[in-house]
Amino acid sequence: MVVTFDANVLLSATLWETSVSHKLLVDLIKQNVKIYSSLAILNEYQNVLRRDFKFSGKEIGEIMEKVLVFTT
Protein backbone atom coordinates (compact mmCIF):
# COMPACT_ATOMS: atom_id res chain seq x y z
CA MET A 1 0.00 0.00 0.00
CA VAL A 2 1.11 3.55 -0.72
CA VAL A 3 -0.47 6.74 0.56
CA THR A 4 -0.31 10.40 -0.39
CA PHE A 5 -1.28 13.06 2.14
CA ASP A 6 -2.41 16.40 0.79
CA ALA A 7 -1.28 19.56 2.58
CA ASN A 8 -4.39 19.72 4.78
CA VAL A 9 -4.07 16.15 6.03
CA LEU A 10 -0.34 16.65 6.53
CA LEU A 11 -1.03 19.78 8.60
CA SER A 12 -3.56 18.00 10.77
CA ALA A 13 -1.31 14.96 11.17
CA THR A 14 1.71 16.96 12.25
CA LEU A 15 0.22 19.79 14.29
CA TRP A 16 -2.40 18.05 16.44
CA GLU A 17 -1.52 14.81 18.22
CA THR A 18 -5.18 14.09 19.00
CA SER A 19 -6.33 14.37 15.38
CA VAL A 20 -7.50 11.39 13.36
CA SER A 21 -4.87 12.31 10.77
CA HIS A 22 -2.10 12.05 13.36
CA LYS A 23 -3.35 8.67 14.52
CA LEU A 24 -3.46 7.49 10.91
CA LEU A 25 0.07 8.78 10.30
CA VAL A 26 1.43 6.95 13.34
CA ASP A 27 -0.30 3.72 12.29
CA LEU A 28 1.03 3.99 8.73
CA ILE A 29 4.57 4.61 9.95
CA LYS A 30 4.36 1.61 12.30
CA GLN A 31 3.20 -0.54 9.37
CA ASN A 32 6.05 0.72 7.15
CA VAL A 33 3.59 2.06 4.58
CA LYS A 34 5.20 4.38 2.03
CA ILE A 35 3.85 7.90 2.38
CA TYR A 36 4.39 9.90 -0.78
CA SER A 37 4.39 13.62 -1.27
CA SER A 38 5.29 16.10 -3.97
CA LEU A 39 7.16 19.35 -4.11
CA ALA A 40 3.87 21.19 -4.67
CA ILE A 41 2.26 19.63 -1.57
CA LEU A 42 5.31 20.32 0.60
CA ASN A 43 5.51 23.92 -0.64
CA GLU A 44 1.84 24.49 0.15
CA TYR A 45 2.36 22.88 3.58
CA GLN A 46 5.25 25.24 4.35
CA ASN A 47 3.33 28.27 3.07
CA VAL A 48 0.37 27.49 5.33
CA LEU A 49 2.66 26.94 8.32
CA ARG A 50 4.13 30.40 7.71
CA ARG A 51 0.98 32.27 6.71
CA ASP A 52 -1.69 30.78 8.96
CA PHE A 53 0.28 29.48 11.93
CA LYS A 54 3.05 32.11 11.98
CA PHE A 55 5.92 29.61 12.25
CA SER A 56 9.36 31.12 11.68
CA GLY A 57 11.67 29.94 8.92
CA LYS A 58 13.76 28.08 11.48
CA GLU A 59 10.70 26.35 12.96
CA ILE A 60 9.49 25.36 9.50
CA GLY A 61 12.93 23.94 8.72
CA GLU A 62 12.82 21.82 11.86
CA ILE A 63 9.30 20.61 11.05
CA MET A 64 10.32 19.78 7.48
CA GLU A 65 13.27 17.70 8.71
CA LYS A 66 10.79 15.53 10.61
CA VAL A 67 8.29 15.37 7.74
CA LEU A 68 10.96 14.32 5.26
CA VAL A 69 11.88 11.36 7.46
CA PHE A 70 8.53 9.66 6.76
CA THR A 71 7.73 10.93 3.26
CA THR A 72 9.01 9.82 -0.10
Side-chain angles (χ1 to χ4, degrees):
M1 175 191 316
V2 296
V3 175
T4 302
F5 282 4
D6 68 10
N8 289 322
V9 175
L10 194 55
L11 284 161
S12 180
T14 57
L15 295 181
W16 297 287
E17 290 183 5
T18 59
S19 72
V20 172
S21 297
H22 180 78
K23 293 173 187 171
L24 174 62
L25 175 62
V26 170
D27 285 344
L28 293 173
I29 291 170
K30 286 180 181 176
Q31 295 175 38
N32 293 318
V33 173
K34 288 198 180 232
I35 302 170
Y36 285 92
S37 193
S38 69
L39 188 55
I41 291 170
L42 295 175
N43 284 337
E44 180 181 359
Y45 174 73
Q46 291 177 76
N47 288 337
V48 173
L49 288 173
R50 183 176 300 104
R51 183 190 67 217
D52 296 350
F53 296 97
K54 309 300 185 215
F55 282 98
S56 69
K58 181 181 178 189
E59 290 169 318
I60 292 170
E62 291 169 356
I63 292 168
M64 289 306 298
E65 284 180 18
K66 294 174 186 172
V67 169
L68 294 174
V69 167
F70 63 81
T71 57
T72 301

